Amino acid sequence: MTSTEYKNLSVKEFTKAAEIYESDHAGVYNMCKKDYPDILAELEKEPFNDLLDCGCGTAPMLTLLHQKYPDKHYTGIDLTPKMIEVAKAKKMENVELVVGDCENLPFAENSFDAVICSESFHHYPNPQDFFNSVYRVLRLNGRFILRDMTMNSAAVRWFCNHIEMPLAHLIGKGDVRIYGRVDIKKLCDNAGLHLESFEKRDFCRLHAVIRKSRA
């Protein structure tokens, strides 16, 4: 499929999911809630003022952050207009919500101390473009916290990427690929980012901390 076809599938999928995304009837999307405590814990390790949430959805992560640190400034971006519409209905102060493409972040250079991306990255057909864009908008020494799905076994990842995901496309899901440590390290190196840590946590969870360590 082309990049546009992948993205259209994702928009269609999450337009349907937007109204139930944070409800008790969210189905498979309930799994995303398991990522939030680890992201919060990671952010607690260093101070930040300006944070960007890539693939923010209906802004559940930004809601938690806003409750905990109400004086900081937050920006959320998502490809699906309906997701942003639901997020804006929360009317959170100091939270800017934007419909846009994470592979081409529409923000100025050096805008954010921290960038987070939770369970969205596997929908991006051009992952290097995303990493390059994150590098551009991060401030020097800023952190990029990435949460997604992964498997330790290259064979299992191959099965997911070449068998499972094409089947998912048939039922309207825009998943593109899941990644291992070598993949993420290469994306970081090409973008000028430093991979500080990469872990597989809990049930097939990728937890990576990435830093912009040079201008």
Side-chain angles (χ1 to χ4, degrees):
M1 289 199 301
T2 66
S3 294
T4 299
E5 288 170 333
Y6 276 121
K7 292 175 185 182
N8 286 343
L9 271 179
S10 290
V11 170
K12 185 177 180 180
E13 173 186 354
F14 289 103
T15 298
K16 293 178 181 177
E19 295 290 357
I20 63 164
Y21 194 74
E22 295 184 59
S23 75
D24 293 333
H25 307 290
V28 69
Y29 306 116
N30 275 319
M31 293 177 61
C32 298
K33 297 174 183 177
K34 297 180 180 179
D35 291 300
Y36 306 156
D38 282 13
I39 295 173
L40 287 171
E42 199 68 57
L43 287 169
E44 286 174 356
K45 295 178 181 179
E46 295 180 24
F48 67 92
N49 289 309
D50 302 292
L51 178 142
L52 171 65
D53 186 353
C54 293
C56 68
T58 57
M61 189 70 230
L62 292 179
T63 302
L64 292 173
L65 285 165
H66 184 262
Q67 291 169 351
K68 188 166 187 176
Y69 307 109
D71 295 330
K72 301 187 184 299
H73 182 263
Y74 304 100
T75 302
I77 182 170
D78 201 279
L79 190 63
T80 303
K82 186 63 176 179
M83 286 287 204
I84 294 298
E85 177 187 326
V86 173
K88 283 184 174 180
K90 296 179 178 181
K91 300 186 183 300
M92 294 184 285
E93 293 185 3
N94 298 324
V95 178
E96 179 184 2
L97 296 160
V98 177
V99 176
D101 192 335
C102 292
E103 294 179 356
N104 185 22
L105 294 168
F107 310 110
E109 294 182 11
N110 309 312
S111 294
F112 302 100
D113 305 305
V115 174
I116 62 175
C117 182
S118 176
E119 298 302 329
S120 173
F121 180 53
H122 62 276
H123 289 277
Y124 301 171
N126 304 294
Q128 191 64 63
D129 290 349
F130 172 55
F131 270 63
N132 294 347
S133 209
V134 168
Y135 175 89
R136 185 179 60 79
V137 302
L138 261 182
R139 293 177 180 140
L140 189 61
N141 294 319
R143 289 175 299 157
F144 170 32
I145 300 167
L146 177 65
R147 296 279 300 193
D148 213 278
M149 303 298 291
T150 192
M151 314 286 183
N152 284 337
S153 167
V156 174
R157 291 199 305 274
W158 185 95
F159 178 84
C160 291
N161 290 331
H162 293 87
I163 305 298
E164 185 176 26
M165 286 192 182
L167 292 175
H169 300 155
L170 297 177
I171 60 171
K173 294 190 176 295
D175 304 53
V176 178
R177 189 180 176 192
I178 61 171
Y179 300 86
R181 187 187 188 282
V182 172
D183 302 313
I184 299 300
K185 178 69 163 58
K186 183 177 180 181
L187 291 166
C188 288
D189 290 346
N190 289 342
L193 295 163
H194 172 61
L195 179 60
E196 289 195 345
S197 64
F198 180 100
E199 303 172 62
K200 177 182 171 292
R201 295 184 178 180
D202 303 325
F203 176 69
C204 303
R205 282 299 200 276
L206 180 165
H207 182 94
V209 180
I210 298 160
R211 192 176 298 275
K212 181 176 178 176
S213 57
R214 58 185 175 86

